Amino acid sequence: MSTLSLPNHLMPLLMHIEPLLVPAELYQLGETVNVSVNNSNSWVQIKTATSECSVAFNFVAVEDDCVLPTYQVRDQWLAPFDELEVLQHKVVADTSLVLCGYPADDGCIDIWHHQGQTRAIHCHHSGASEAQRAMLLVALALDYPLDDALVLARAHARSYQDNNYRAQGELIWPTTAKVFPRALTINHPEVKQLGWLGEGESVAPFADLELCKLGLYPVVDSADWVERILQLGVTTTQLRIKNPQTSDLESQIEQAVAAGAAAHAQVFINDYWALAIKHCAYGIHLGQEDLNSANLVAIQQAGLRLGISTHGYYEILRALEYQPSYIALGHIFATSTKDMPSLPQGVNRLALYQKLIGERVPTVAIGGINIERAAKVWRTGVTGVAVVSAITKAENPAAAVAELRNILVATIENEAGGACDDHQL
């Protein structure tokens, strides 16, 4: 069980917090949250199964403060306002500083610290302030990282104001795309107008992939496996070689690209974008950290498709700004094939992510998906299901591929009530 302890002066937030816990429990988005009021502390105290944090709103430190809150949230603003560039430098220098609702032209901006840099979201409507605070605290208590908690908070503030929620028991969790903010990146159409300092250069949308070939999406660690998978009739796969020092790295990429071209299949190369361009690969798959270092313009101009990994709300919004060929959603279940900085998302969070993205970009679920879990993952509406160990560690990979394809086909037929001739899995 998680705990959320409010100081006495924030008791009015209870009327907003308690209704949010109903859909959180219904959607099974995290452990049960026990809410209490603590008169002995001026900060919000949050404890989950994996972490503890404290939150203070508009906190003013004094000389004898020896312990500071984890997050100092500033959400009340009076003119004159600092330039956005100045605020970025302040947030970079102070890991605890979180700026919410900073007034900008035609909207507001939320800014926070992330690994030595600043991240931000922009919304044309700030929404209701108390609803924003409440969702921020609830999301943190549900073990969402700060990035995602801020996204949910801004979406809920907008949704609350738009819909004027008053009905008891009404589900008020934000789910529709129109209430969510946008990640402030170099590709944001108003980034220069807002004065946000971003790295890199804007990039045009990436080429579309063939949806009819996306469904079962094996991720394998060698070119030999790529060839083997394609011979089994798979039409989309990814070569993921973790060690960049692998002696035959380039030859493996060349071999995988050639195999994909011969089979008229969609073969994505993980990480090694320069080699993928050199050998005219079909596509490249990048992680979030790679978006800061890869030459996205070169990838786009070379005509390669782009897939981007995401692990929650903020990263989804960030990926959408680049208009990739698909977005990977993960990791859904615990996995041993890759060290993950985030917690498993679970099927219920996956379903909400899919609803947010809708049909804007194809999606691929990944992480710990096996034969037993494939059907319920597929039912969330994702476009593809990525598997690793379910095939590469199977006693009979051919049988595993056949069974997984049958599961996806059967699920589509059951949902549609008929055949699915437009899907090739």
Side-chain angles (χ1 to χ4, degrees):
M1 177 179 290
S2 299
T3 59
L4 194 168
S5 178
L6 292 172
N8 191 57
H9 72 279
L10 291 178
M11 277 188 64
L13 289 182
L14 284 173
M15 66 173 288
H16 295 276
I17 289 173
E18 291 176 344
L20 285 170
L21 296 177
V22 176
E25 188 166 346
L26 178 66
Y27 295 143
Q28 299 178 347
L29 301 179
E31 293 193 10
T32 300
V33 178
N34 179 42
V35 182
S36 63
V37 177
N38 186 348
N39 295 325
S40 63
N41 205 319
S42 60
W43 308 339
V44 180
Q45 301 286 341
I46 297 173
K47 184 177 182 179
T48 71
T50 63
S51 64
E52 294 185 41
C53 71
S54 53
V55 181
F57 293 96
N58 301 301
F59 173 78
V60 178
V62 295
E63 288 185 6
D64 59 351
D65 279 330
C66 58
V67 179
L68 297 177
T70 312
Y71 302 121
Q72 301 179 51
V73 180
R74 181 181 175 188
D75 61 1
Q76 295 175 355
W77 301 89
L78 295 174
F81 306 124
D82 288 332
E83 294 291 331
L84 197 55
E85 178 180 350
V86 173
L87 294 180
Q88 283 186 255
H89 290 307
K90 286 183 178 180
V91 173
V92 166
D94 187 347
T95 61
S96 69
L97 190 57
V98 180
L99 309 180
C100 291
Y102 170 76
D105 289 343
D106 193 23
C108 70
I109 299 174
D110 299 332
I111 312 169
W112 65 98
H113 186 106
H114 179 82
Q115 297 180 0
Q117 298 179 326
T118 51
R119 284 182 167 178
I121 49 178
H122 173 252
C123 188
H124 284 292
H125 305 279
S126 61
S129 59
E130 286 200 341
Q132 193 272 344
R133 284 185 172 188
M135 177 57 97
L136 174 62
L137 299 177
V138 167
L140 289 173
L142 291 170
D143 233 353
Y144 282 95
L146 178 65
D147 303 36
D148 291 353
L150 287 165
V151 168
L152 280 169
R154 187 56 60 200
H156 175 59
R158 163 80 184 279
S159 182
Y160 188 91
Q161 182 169 289
D162 285 356
N163 295 287
N164 193 21
Y165 288 113
R166 291 179 181 174
Q168 290 293 323
E170 185 175 355
L171 297 184
I172 58 175
W173 198 268
T175 57
T176 57
K178 68 178 182 179
V179 302
F180 278 81
R182 293 182 65 168
L184 201 50
T185 71
I186 196 65
N187 240 49
H188 190 290
E190 299 172 58
V191 65
K192 292 183 179 179
Q193 174 186 334
L194 293 169
W196 180 256
L197 295 178
E199 297 180 355
E201 55 183 310
S202 60
V203 60
F206 288 84
D208 294 333
L209 45 69
E210 296 181 70
L211 290 180
C212 65
K213 293 183 178 179
L214 188 58
L216 179 60
Y217 185 169
V219 177
V220 297
D221 61 4
S222 72
D224 288 342
W225 261 113
V226 169
E227 292 181 341
R228 189 174 178 183
I229 286 293
L230 297 181
Q231 289 169 3
L232 295 175
V234 169
T235 50
T236 301
T237 188
Q238 180 186 135
L239 174 64
R240 184 173 73 186
I241 298 176
K242 298 178 185 179
N243 182 7
Q245 304 303 320
T246 299
S247 59
D248 61 344
L249 175 64
E250 183 169 357
S251 63
Q252 288 216 53
I253 290 174
E254 186 176 13
Q255 179 184 345
V257 170
H264 303 288
Q266 303 179 139
V267 176
F268 285 83
I269 306 300
N270 186 282
D271 285 349
Y272 308 110
W273 57 270
L275 290 174
I277 293 175
K278 177 180 178 180
H279 294 288
C280 302
Y282 179 86
I284 182 76
H285 183 94
L286 297 176
Q288 286 284 317
E289 64 284 355
D290 301 314
L291 295 178
N292 298 324
S293 57
N295 190 331
L296 300 182
V297 173
I299 295 170
Q300 189 276 335
Q301 291 181 346
L304 273 66
R305 283 75 177 171
L306 176 67
I308 300 177
S309 292
T310 65
H311 309 88
Y313 281 108
Y314 171 76
E315 292 185 356
I316 290 170
L317 297 180
R318 186 187 184 205
L320 285 170
E321 289 297 316
Y322 295 101
Q323 301 181 69
S325 308
Y326 74 85
I327 289 176
L329 305 170
H331 59 302
I332 309 306
F333 305 101
T335 175
S336 60
T337 62
K338 185 178 181 181
D339 293 333
M340 303 300 296
S342 58
L343 296 172
Q345 300 299 306
V347 173
N348 295 314
R349 290 192 185 189
L350 172 63
L352 293 179
Y353 299 152
Q354 178 59 40
K355 188 168 185 178
L356 166 61
I357 297 170
E359 297 182 357
R360 287 183 285 177
V361 180
T363 54
V364 175
I366 187 170
I369 302 172
N370 56 25
I371 290 173
E372 292 72 27
R373 295 165 170 167
K376 60 183 179 181
V377 169
W378 191 237
R379 280 195 291 267
T380 64
V382 293
T383 322
V385 175
V387 296
V388 185
S389 302
I391 292 176
T392 59
K393 293 186 178 180
E395 291 185 8
N396 187 335
V401 167
E403 186 170 359
L404 283 163
R405 293 179 66 176
N406 287 338
I407 289 171
L408 303 191
V409 170
T411 304
I412 293 171
E413 290 179 342
N414 289 338
E415 294 289 329
C420 49
D421 294 336
D422 59 334
H423 284 74
Q424 181 174 345
L425 303 174

